[in-house]
């Protein structure tokens, strides 16, 4: 059996990579001494893929919002009952999640790893969906959607994406709406499945104290190789460069206002190492501008404009990228204005080289810390994998990223006209 | 690696002046952690002060007098993490100071982060920045405001709020109903003088302290830390009493709260009348797992999968107060239907209507969960902190073996004493 081994001695990690003849790639990151074995089977298909041309067809198909997430729920159902029962009998914990870009099926176990892995690989490749079970699921997912409607942090993020984007499907919640899921039926679900669940569009990752050769043998045996690799044509609406609107507000049962604000990026090359460098650069800049060690953070905190809930992040995916920052504040508009002012000042004075080095060192340390957790490794690995890079590539980026490059990115990203603010106010 | 089984076990390595020091050795992590816990009886007079103190202390210490100074230093220490918080376990309030930092093996130089980490932690706890020999007024006032918002902000997380509120209503005449972060009413009377007085006379000298060190740290280095902490000025140390758990329920209380929400949140609080160190507690863990502890459970299968009423439906134990709570998010109009299904499950538990699948899955689910905890330093520490408070001191394998010995009969035997006490419903305002 052919597989590739790469060691990362500085952080005492190793990865084994195997390519199946179907085009599926499988990875093992061994974690000696860990009890938990965490296996994921993921497809490069998420909530934003709501328009596509199914393989072998000519016409494009627009499917109801929330269908990727709905399909994730439905795959658990098998001809002989729920696959959850089978995992429960094996004593493992199955789960799944759908993001904008991918759908991930997983289990975590401490015993009977091989049986669990076999089950995971089997059920994801064998959908069994009936009209009756689709209707039943609408009640459950309906309550999931209702739960998020009452979640102010979630709402402020979703509303921000709606303010940043005019047409891109990222503006719609992953789970869709009660309205949109009511249109979902068995035919739609199978169309989506047949388009996006070919092994060539998928990957397998195991993190834990396992025998990697055994994993690869199981993958070799279980993954179907039927038919040729289909061409997937994903269709996205043309998204304007400008933001949709600079301000959006919603009222909910909260005690104090909370907000999310962010800058929309307009770049074409978001994948590969370019995207990774850009991600690290923007995150470094966010730390420098508004991180806990920045003068701005201290000022806003002392003035009571932000509190410990304040945080920030940067997302970069195949055809969109944006920063996001926020938390609770009695006056979100003032926070936004102060951040813009700080950005203007940094643009004038330039980045502080010693802060850059210090924060780079800290970020690398915090990156290494992520390797404590099999879940964190898996989660992050999958999200960068579908961008065409590998989680270990971050190490190289932290070691080589320059102040000059970061300065460039500063000027590209933090443009006042690309900033939107989303506020949740008390009823 | 012969002594792998001894990994992630607890060793008490020191005890002086009411400070107990424990070590949990494990080499598999990239980081080490130091956890300092102050324990107190949950009490109206002190709860809010105990909650406010870490918030004020984290603002600055002698060498690093501001939030920014501390943040800058943490970045220098390869992005070390400092945090603090407050929890309650039964009627014990616990103030937690925490540091996590990269293991020396991965820093690429000879610095010992462990020593720097414990020195910083010690200084934040014991040498706050002062003004006129008390806490800085601006720090105290700002943190009072932050704490007020935190307490009022409980309504933001509706799921957690509905669970907490149910248990608080249920125990409204007992100390357990005190929120771990205190109350807005008590906050008003606190000023920097009074808080400092409390800190210097009560908090630092008299509260029992436990310290947990996890990861890969040499004993010689830990000695240095013990020497430092032995210099802490301590007086007679208070005894933290264990929480009473017995209460007979005369009739079920119904509490409805109206708020501007979309989804109704149903919580049902129960008295189990089982204490944290009772042998029966092991049966109770299995009981709750069968009833509502995972996708194999009766609540998940019946409320969600069969009736499609909810996305989530679970039961959870509050070990130290002997409580169990069931929680589910539903459409308001389905409240009665949901209650009926839930109480049918409780009845089945009493009658011993438990399938082999439900029972075996529950045991395995617990075993998997306990073994998995060994992969997280925070969870290991929380597990052992609970063991220490309960006085059980079971390591992971001991508890797993006890759970595996529980029989269906054991579960049915305790079912009768689990009494519903309060049914709480958070629902939309009348239109």
């Amino acid at each position: 059996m052919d597989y590739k081994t790469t060691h990362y001695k500085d952080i005492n990690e190793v990865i084994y990579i195997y390519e199946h003849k179907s085009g599926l790639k499988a990875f093992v990151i061994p974690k000696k001494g860990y009890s938990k074995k965490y296996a994921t089977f993921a497809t490069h298909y998420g909530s934003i893929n709501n328009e596509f041309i199914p393989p072998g067809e000519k016409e494009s198909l627009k499917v109801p919002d929330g269908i990727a997430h709905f399909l994730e729920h439905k795959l658990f159902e098998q001809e002989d009952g729920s696959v959850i029962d089978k995992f429960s009998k094996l004593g493992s914990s199955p789960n799944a999640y759908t993001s904008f870009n991918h759908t991930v099926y997983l289990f975590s176990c401490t015993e009977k790893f091989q049986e669990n892995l076999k089950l995971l690989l089997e059920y994801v490749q064998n959908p069994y969906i009936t009209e009756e079970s689709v209707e039943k699921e609408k009640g459950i997912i309906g309550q999931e959607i209702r739960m998020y409607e009452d979640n102010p942090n979630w709402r402020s993020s979703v509303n921000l994406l709606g303010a940043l984007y005019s047409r891109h499907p990222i503006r719609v919640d992953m789970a869709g709406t009660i309205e949109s899921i009511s249109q979902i039926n068995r035919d739609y679900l199978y169309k989506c499945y047949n388009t996006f669940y070919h092994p060539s569009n998928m990957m397998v990752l195991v993190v834990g104290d396992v025998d990697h050769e055994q994993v690869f043998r199981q993958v070799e045996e279980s993954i179907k190789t039927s038919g040729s690799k289909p061409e997937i044509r994903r269709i996205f609406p043309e998204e304007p460069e400008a933001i949709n609107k600079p301000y959006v507000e919603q009222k909910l049962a909260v005690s104090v206002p909370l907000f999310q604000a962010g800058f929309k990026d307009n770049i074409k090359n978001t994948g590969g190492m370019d995207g990774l460098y850009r991600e690290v650069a923007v995150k470094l800049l966010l730390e420098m501008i508004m991180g806990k060690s920045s003068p701005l953070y201290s000022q806003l905190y002392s003035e009571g404009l932000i509190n410990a809930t304040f945080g920030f992040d940067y997302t970069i995916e195949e055809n969109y990228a944006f920063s996001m920052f926020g938390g609770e504040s009695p006056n979100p508009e003032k926070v936004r204005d102060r951040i813009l002012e700080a950005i203007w000042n940094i643009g004038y004075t330039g980045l502080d080289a010693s802060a850059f080095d210090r924060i780079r060192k800290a970020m690398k340390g915090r990156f290494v810390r992520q390797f404590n957790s099999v879940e964190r490794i898996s989660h992050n690995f999958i999200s960068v994998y579908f961008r065409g890079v590998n989680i270990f590539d971050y190490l190289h980026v932290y070691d080589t990223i320059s102040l000059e490059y970061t300065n460039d990115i500063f000027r590209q990203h933090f443009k006042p006209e690309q900033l939107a603010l989303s506020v949740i106010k008390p009823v | 690696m012969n002594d792998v089984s001894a990994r992630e076990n607890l060793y008490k390595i020191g005890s002086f002046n009411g400070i107990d020091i424990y070590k949990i050795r494990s080499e598999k992590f990239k980081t080490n952690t130091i956890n300092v816990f102050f324990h107190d009886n949950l009490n109206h007079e002190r709860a809010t002060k105990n909650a406010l103190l870490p918030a004020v202390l984290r603002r600055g210490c002698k060498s690093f007098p501001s939030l920014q100074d501390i943040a800058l230093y943490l970045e220098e220490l390869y992005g070390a993490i400092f945090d603090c918080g407050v929890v309650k376990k039964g009627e014990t309030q616990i103030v937690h100071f925490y540091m996590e930092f990269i293991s020396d093996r991965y820093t690429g130089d000879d610095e010992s982060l462990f020593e720097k980490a414990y020195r910083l932690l010690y200084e934040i706890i014991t040498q706050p920045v002062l003004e006129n020999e008390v806490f800085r007024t601006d720090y105290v006032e700002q943190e009072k405001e932050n704490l007020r918002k935190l307490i009022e902000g409980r309504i933001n997380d509706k799921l957690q709020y509905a669970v907490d509120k149910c248990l608080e209503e249920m125990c409204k005449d007992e100390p357990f109903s005190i929120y771990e972060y205190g109350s807005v009413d008590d906050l008003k009377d606190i000023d920097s003088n009074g808080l400092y007085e409390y800190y210097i006379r009560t908090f630092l000298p008299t509260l029992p302290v436990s310290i947990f060190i996890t990861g890969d740290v040499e004993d010689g280095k830990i000695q240095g830390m013990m020497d430092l902490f032995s210099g802490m000025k301590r007086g007679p140390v208070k005894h933290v009493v264990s929480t009473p758990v017995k209460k007979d329920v005369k009739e079920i209380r119904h509490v409805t709260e109206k708020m501007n929400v979309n989804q109704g949140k149903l919580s049902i609080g129960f008295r189990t009348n089982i204490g944290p160190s009772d042998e029966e507690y092991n049966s109770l863990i299995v009981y709750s797992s069968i009833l509502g502890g995972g996708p194999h459970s009766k609540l998940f299968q019946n409320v969600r999968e069969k009736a499609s009423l909810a996305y989530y439906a679970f039961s959870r134990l509050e070990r130290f107060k002997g409580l169990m709570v069931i929680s589910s998010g539903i459409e308001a109009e389905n409240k009665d239907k949901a209650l009926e299904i839930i109480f049918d499950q409780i009845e089945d538990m009493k009658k011993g209507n438990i399938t082999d699948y439900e029972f075996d899955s529950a045991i395995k689910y617990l075993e998997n969960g306990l073994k998995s905890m060994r992969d997280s330093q925070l969870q290991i520490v929380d597990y052992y902190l609970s063991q220490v408070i309960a006085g059980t001191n079971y390591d992971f394998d001991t508890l797993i073996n006890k759970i595996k010995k529980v029989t269906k009969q054991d579960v049915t035997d305790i079912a009768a004493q689990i009494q519903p006490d309060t049914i709480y419903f958070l629902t939309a305002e009348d239109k």
Side-chain angles (χ1 to χ4, degrees), chain A residues 97-373:
Chain A
Y97 61 89
T98 305
S99 75
F100 289 123
N101 310 284
H102 43 263
T103 313
V104 183
Y105 300 85
L106 62 97
F107 68 82
S108 159
C109 76
T110 51
E111 301 287 335
K112 299 196 172 126
F113 170 72
Q114 287 181 36
E115 284 106 306
N116 279 300
L117 182 60
K118 184 166 183 281
L119 189 54
L120 174 72
L121 297 175
E122 269 173 16
Y123 91 83
V124 176
Q125 293 187 87
N126 290 291
Y128 179 78
I129 302 167
T130 61
E131 284 295 357
E132 191 198 346
S133 77
V134 169
E135 289 313 308
K136 203 200 72 181
E137 203 68 30
K138 287 178 183 173
I140 297 171
I141 294 176
Q143 287 312 309
E144 186 176 2
I145 292 170
R146 299 281 274 166
M147 180 175 83
Y148 281 104
E149 283 175 358
D150 286 329
N151 183 324
N153 292 308
W154 182 258
R155 287 308 318 163
S156 65
S157 304
V158 172
N159 293 349
L160 175 66
L161 293 176
L164 290 175
Y165 293 88
S166 313
R167 305 182 62 195
H168 194 286
I170 192 179
R171 59 197 310 282
V172 182
D173 188 320
M174 278 87 133
T177 62
I178 303 263
E179 219 293 293
S180 74
I181 64 165
S182 74
Q183 298 158 25
I184 290 175
N185 60 36
R186 183 179 174 277
D187 284 353
Y188 274 137
L189 289 164
Y190 270 107
K191 282 258 198 250
C192 292
Y193 184 87
N194 291 331
T195 304
F196 294 105
Y197 281 69
H198 186 273
S200 57
N201 193 43
M202 302 180 75
M203 59 93 79
V204 170
L205 168 68
V206 178
V207 185
D209 199 347
V210 297
D211 173 357
H212 56 279
E213 292 194 357
Q214 176 63 40
V215 170
F216 295 151
R217 272 197 297 276
Q218 278 189 262
V219 168
E220 185 174 30
E221 283 163 21
S222 303
I223 297 297
K224 294 179 189 166
T225 43
S226 62
S228 58
K229 190 172 151 179
E231 189 198 358
I232 301 172
R233 290 166 67 191
R234 303 159 198 261
I235 296 166
F236 290 99
E238 192 66 39
E239 172 66 29
E241 291 206 348
I243 59 171
N244 180 25
K245 47 187 164 186
Y247 183 82
V248 57
E249 181 182 304
Q250 184 186 353
K251 287 194 162 69
L252 282 174
V254 292
S255 55
V256 289
L258 45 101
F259 75 99
Q260 288 293 335
F263 292 91
K264 175 182 179 179
D265 247 339
N266 279 305
I267 35 159
K268 297 287 167 255
N269 287 334
T270 52
M273 288 302 279
D274 284 353
L276 215 55
Y277 270 102
R278 192 178 184 95
E279 179 193 335
V280 170
V282 177
K283 285 181 175 169
L284 255 157
L285 288 163
L286 287 165
E287 284 285 355
M288 293 174 79
I289 296 163
M290 59 187 92
K292 281 189 180 148
S293 66
S294 69
L296 178 66
Y297 182 96
S298 283
Q299 288 156 17
L300 295 175
Y301 188 96
S302 302
E303 292 168 38
L305 284 169
I306 59 170
N307 60 23
T309 61
F310 185 79
F312 46 82
D313 202 3
Y314 179 65
T315 300
I316 179 165
E317 290 292 349
E318 57 199 25
N319 52 18
Y320 60 88
F322 57 87
S323 55
M324 204 185 253
F325 42 90
E328 296 171 2
S329 172
N331 192 344
E333 285 167 283
K334 200 163 175 185
V335 176
R336 175 197 60 196
D337 295 345
R338 294 282 292 276
I339 286 173
L340 279 174
E341 191 187 312
I343 288 168
W344 192 87
N345 284 334
I346 291 172
Y348 188 72
T349 58
L351 294 173
D352 175 352
S354 72
F356 175 82
D357 284 334
R358 189 188 66 242
I359 289 168
R360 189 166 62 115
K361 174 178 165 186
M363 280 178 65
K364 191 180 171 188
R366 284 172 191 162
F367 171 75
V368 173
R369 172 177 178 257
Q370 294 183 24
F371 285 87
N372 275 347
S373 154

Side-chain angles (χ1 to χ4, degrees), chain A residues 11 13 33 35-36 85 89 110-111 136 143 146 150 253 293 301-302 358 361 365-366 369 372, chain B residues 28 30-31 68 72 75-76 79-80 100 142-143 158 262-263 305 308 331 357 364 368 371 375:
Chain A
I11 60 167
E13 295 291 346
S35 310
K36 221 185 304 188
D85 299 350
K89 279 179 194 147
T110 51
E111 301 287 335
K136 203 200 72 181
Q143 287 312 309
R146 299 281 274 166
D150 286 329
S293 66
Y301 188 96
S302 302
R358 189 188 66 242
K361 174 178 165 186
R366 284 172 191 162
R369 172 177 178 257
N372 275 347
Chain B
K28 69 188 180 194
K30 306 290 181 206
T31 54
Q68 192 185 7
L72 285 166
E75 284 173 355
E76 290 292 349
E100 180 171 356
Q142 285 159 16
E143 294 308 329
K158 308 288 181 293
N262 292 297
Q263 188 180 54
E305 296 293 296
S308 300
E331 285 303 314
Y357 162 74
K364 284 181 196 155
N368 187 45
K371 285 183 178 164
D375 292 345

Side-chain angles (χ1 to χ4, degrees), chain B residues 280 283-284 405-415:
Chain B
E280 286 172 323
S283 310
L284 181 61
K405 283 193 189 117
V406 172
T407 64
K408 250 191 224 182
Q409 191 57 49
D410 293 334
V411 174
T412 314
D413 285 348
I414 59 153

